[in-house]
């Protein structure tokens, strides 16, 4: 489907579908947001986190990052990229770093709190991030793990900003 034919709602729904088809639920991303923000926001609920994740996913610049990253993961999984990029992405080669760079496009939208949050969960790899980093499944999630971490961190930054206003 050509992008010019998609409504805002359709491009949002498509983004949700792409993420779900890769085995990740909005609830799992929201769980990371809750983990990040729970110490700082009294009465924070899982529903607030889920709403925040959904708001983040409605932004086109974030959808663009998600589509690009997931597409590269999928092509690598099907061996449809040219070498040496294919083996770099399949092995999640540690010096590559472009997966993190793509996620910065997501973090940029919500300012510096997002960067701190992202660095924190990227190091701890709680919840769904641990699963996505399991290399024994045959699936390639080189980009998706960073996208999910960045979406959760951006959603947490949104909640933090709301709290201050
Ligand atoms: Mg990665």
């Amino acid at each position: 489907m050509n992008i010019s034919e998609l409504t805002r709602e359709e491009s949002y729904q498509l983004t949700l579908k792409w993420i779900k088809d890769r085995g990740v639920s909005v609830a799992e991303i929201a769980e990371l947001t809750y983990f990040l923000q729970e110490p700082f926001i009294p009465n924070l609920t899982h529903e607030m986190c889920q709403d925040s994740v959904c708001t983040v996913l409605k932004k086109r610049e974030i959808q663009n990052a998600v589509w690009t990253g997931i597409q590269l993961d999928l092509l690598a999984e099907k061996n449809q990229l040219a070498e040496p990029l294919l083996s770099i992405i399949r092995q999640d080669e540690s010096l590559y770093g472009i997966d993190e760079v793509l996620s910065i496009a997501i973090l940029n939208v919500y300012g510096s709190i997002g960067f701190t949050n992202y660095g924190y969960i990227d190091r701890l790899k709680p919840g769904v991030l641990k699963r996505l980093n399991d290399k024994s499944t045959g699936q390639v999630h080189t980009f998706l793990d960073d996208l999910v971490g960045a979406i959760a961190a951006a959603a947490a930054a949104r909640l933090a900003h709301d709290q201050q206003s």
Side-chain angles (χ1 to χ4, degrees), residues 131-151:
R131 190 176 84 231
L132 292 175
N133 274 279
D134 179 358
K135 304 283 187 287
S136 68
T137 62
Q139 287 196 307
V140 176
H141 294 307
T142 297
F143 279 87
L144 186 62
D145 66 333
D146 296 288
L147 291 168
V148 164
I151 293 163

Side-chain angles (χ1 to χ4, degrees), residues 16 20 22 40 44 47 49-50 55-56 63 70 80 83 90-91 93 106 120 123 131 146-147 152 155 157-158 160:
L16 291 180
K20 186 165 168 259
R22 297 302 286 163
F40 309 109
L44 181 71
E47 196 189 352
C49 293
Q50 211 151 323
T55 302
V56 167
Q63 295 169 359
I70 289 180
Q80 287 173 350
E83 288 290 10
R90 281 192 70 98
Q91 292 159 25
E93 209 246 314
I106 292 175
Y120 184 60
R123 218 154 295 139
R131 190 176 84 231
D146 296 288
L147 291 168
R158 265 197 80 250

Side-chain angles (χ1 to χ4, degrees), residues 24 34 49 58 72 74 90-91 95-96 99 105 108 113-114 117 119 125 132 134 142 144 147 149 155-156:
V24 176
Y34 187 87
C49 293
K58 282 179 180 147
L72 285 166
L74 273 169
R90 281 192 70 98
Q91 292 159 25
L95 291 177
Y96 179 58
D99 40 349
N108 269 336
I113 301 174
N117 286 337
K125 301 208 189 305
L132 292 175
D134 179 358
T142 297
L144 186 62
L147 291 168

Side-chain angles (χ1 to χ4, degrees), residues 22-42:
R22 297 302 286 163
V24 176
S25 69
V26 167
E28 283 176 311
I29 305 175
E31 215 35 66
L32 298 174
T33 304
Y34 187 87
F35 171 81
L36 283 166
Q37 237 21 63
E38 189 264 336
F40 309 109
I41 303 182

